[in-house]
Amino acid sequence: MKVPSFIKVAAVAAVASLGLAACGSGGSGASDSSAPLRVTLANHVWTEQIKAAIPEFEKQTGIKVELTQLGEDQLSDQYNVKLNAGTDEIDVMMYRPLQEGKLFAKNGYLADLTGNVKQDSSWDWSDFQAGPVKATTADGKVVGVPIITEREVLYYRKDILQSAGVAVPKTMDELKAAAAKIKAANPDTAGFVARTGKSTAVTQFSSFLYSYGGDFTQDGKASVNTDAAKKAYAFYGGLIKENGPANVSTDMSWPEAMAIFTQGKAAFYTEADSLYKNATDPAKSKVADKVGFAPLPAGPAGSKPYNIPSWALGVNDASKQKDNAWKFVQWATSKERTLAAQKAGVPGARTSVWASPEGTSTYPKDLAEAIAVSAQNGVGHDRPEVITVGKAREIVGAPIVSAITGADSGKAADDAQTAFSTFLGTDK
Amino acid sequence: MTSTTLEPTSAQAAPPRPKPTSAFSAWANRHRKWLFAAPAMIFVAVLIIFPLVWTAWLSLTDSHGSVRAAAKFIGLQNYATVLTDTTRFWPAVGRTVLFTGVVLVFEVVFGMCIALLLWRPFKGERWVRVAVLLPLVATPVAVGMMWRLIFDPNIGFANQVIGWFGIPPQPWLAGQETALWTTMFIDVWQWTPMVALILLAGLTSLSEEPQEAAKIDGASTWQRFWFVTLPLMMPTVIVAILLRGIDALKTFDILYATKGKGGGSFNEVETLNVYAYGLSFDYNQYGVSSTVLILFFLLIIGVMWALTGRRNKKKEA
């Protein structure tokens, strides 16, 4: 039989081009009580310490746990593919309430836990901080339990500040002056470094935006070209352009920015406090013993860092083992486990743990103080609160990159405003 | 193939009479050519045709948020949107074509050079072969991460090396203008060995007579390569271009590992594949993403059509 060459071509091309579109859909086997509980977690310090404790949970409950660990982006993609296919192969999921929370809730991926959180008074749902709880609640239903919280703080190099005769900056203007002075004195050292990627920088830029008196939206309408926002864009971008590393890349997320700081190439760095171990652990940092921490310097509207739950645990609504999944969530977020995680360097969401001296016993003293200050005047979101966060971040992040590269960030902010307004109209 | 039964000769005992075959094996016998092909056909149907049809269907809807959410049929609206999009789609098409064209030229030329070097046996060739093939065995994502570190503008090794020669530091992957060329370099570094391998297989299967005849006729080394080896190698070269070309069009891992989402802050390395991926996974616009993928698919078919068409014409000539 002679196959027409067109069909041959089409078949080969199909094989060649569809690496992306093929998604496996989970087969739904009937579940029995001895089936393992499938837990998907992100690569994180929190995960490392919970992993070590899982045998304890297995012994207590007789539930077998099957753990999958993935990087942040891969995790997000996995959820997109698997949950889209309606899989029941994920029972417990670690997710980012501010990144995927709204989308997952809208798609009905997250089980309603409102009844579960009220069951056990000794586990004590009211012990969780209000801000994080708001982020894991959708349409009045609790859909997740916050496990990791973070705030933006100022990382700085004690030795450089001392030799330059600069005090720890308390305001944005002081930060700029100090960074400029240091860069002028040491041409090899950047005065300031921070994230620069269009989308990745948005969360760290948000604290600057709030401290200048702006926000991404006001009363549900886009507000990224207000005077306050334009000043914040120009300040953040200008700080990096004028006092940042010599050949600054506009793709830096935290690993790249952190690397510059921990290689000893920058004096100031604004970043999430939950990453502090990367800077103070001698195995990861050349300047481990020289790092100091301070609250975010104050802008015209004061010091307003974000204070957010970066990760939470949820239960897949299609799971066939919701009760066991909840048992795991409850165990992983108990007071004891939260304290253990916090001692390992992961800031949690329980008020009682923060209040106990043990809760901050392992933290550098100045970091614990900075966290306490930031928790009081923090803002509960660090990115636009929308469904399609990925797209929104790219839109509102564009002026940051314009400012870093020396383009007209005011015009970029006007363009972003137009695009963001259109986006908000379609984001349903 | 037809089966014939041997006539029993008088010397042999009468053979046992053939057993009446069961209904199934009779059916299987009748349909054997389909039966043997069935596993492959089912595989193709489930893993290729179904996703393709499904993607084509999605491209005609406004599917977003979740592929299971109700989607409205909107006809060719997505195609109109995508084909008139001059900010993301057409630049991505341009980058895809440019990237593929440039890496193909370099990979085929370098691959040919390496294959010619390894063609004749020499001392220590085994070690050289291993060294040449090393980039091939590394995972592209890991390769991307590695080069990202090497090319880091501030703490990277690449700028140190060129610094020894007095060249000022380059932005490499960080530069808006230089990023795409840097990713091409990485792709050439990684995939030239594969092209070399294919071409080497072609070279070793050539017969020696034409070469010797040319030598006797007094052709120089260059003439022998240009007028004897290369024409004989053409089918292999076309195969190499075809295989590598399709792969290069679809390059994703190296770009994503070096520049991240959207091909960087200015979409400087956003090719069609990276764009379609972002539309699905960052924007949750499954309809638009499917549209881009279908157009991408047509582009690949077009390229293959052009290449295989040339090959068939050559055969007929």
Side-chain angles (χ1 to χ4, degrees), chain B residues 1-3 27-37:
Chain B
M1 199 189 99
T2 54
S3 63
W27 177 86
N29 261 331
R30 269 201 312 281
H31 297 281
R32 62 181 175 270
K33 75 174 174 201
W34 293 108
L35 210 63
F36 281 114

Side-chain angles (χ1 to χ4, degrees), chain B residues 52-79:
Chain B
L52 193 58
V53 172
W54 178 247
T55 307
W57 158 248
L58 277 180
S59 75
L60 302 173
T61 67
D62 69 345
S63 173
H64 67 282
S66 159
V67 279
R68 287 192 298 159
K72 237 184 17 251
F73 176 80
I74 53 170
L76 295 175
Q77 208 177 309
N78 284 334
Y79 287 86

Side-chain angles (χ1 to χ4, degrees), chain A residues 16 77 198 250-251 256 394, chain B residues 67 148 250 259 265 277 283:
Chain A
D77 295 348
K198 181 167 65 174
T250 51
D251 297 316
E256 293 80 21
E394 285 187 19
Chain B
V67 279
R148 186 174 172 169
K250 300 186 306 150
K259 295 290 287 180
S265 284
Y277 173 89
Y283 296 2

Side-chain angles (χ1 to χ4, degrees), chain A residues 6 14-18 73 77 80 83-84 86 103 107 109 197-198 245 247 249-251 256 388 391 394 401, chain B residues 48 52 65-68 148 153-154 174 246 250 259 261 264-266 277 281 283-286 297 300 305:
Chain A
F6 160 75
V15 174
S17 68
L18 285 170
D73 287 342
D77 295 348
N80 255 319
L83 299 171
N84 248 326
L103 176 75
N107 290 344
Y109 296 160
K198 181 167 65 174
N247 292 298
S249 143
T250 51
D251 297 316
E256 293 80 21
T388 315
K391 191 168 188 176
E394 285 187 19
V401 183
Chain B
I48 294 161
L52 193 58
S66 159
V67 279
R68 287 192 298 159
R148 186 174 172 169
N154 290 292
I246 294 169
K250 300 186 306 150
K259 295 290 287 180
K261 288 186 171 159
S265 284
F266 296 94
Y277 173 89
F281 288 105
Y283 296 2
N284 304 310
Q285 293 175 314
Y286 298 101
F297 177 62
I300 291 179
W305 190 266

Side-chain angles (χ1 to χ4, degrees), chain A residues 24 54 62 81 111 130 186 204 211 214 222 231 288 352 382 404:
Chain A
I54 281 179
V81 171
N186 321 287
Q204 308 313 303
S211 302
K231 278 188 190 135
S352 64
D382 64 348
I404 294 171

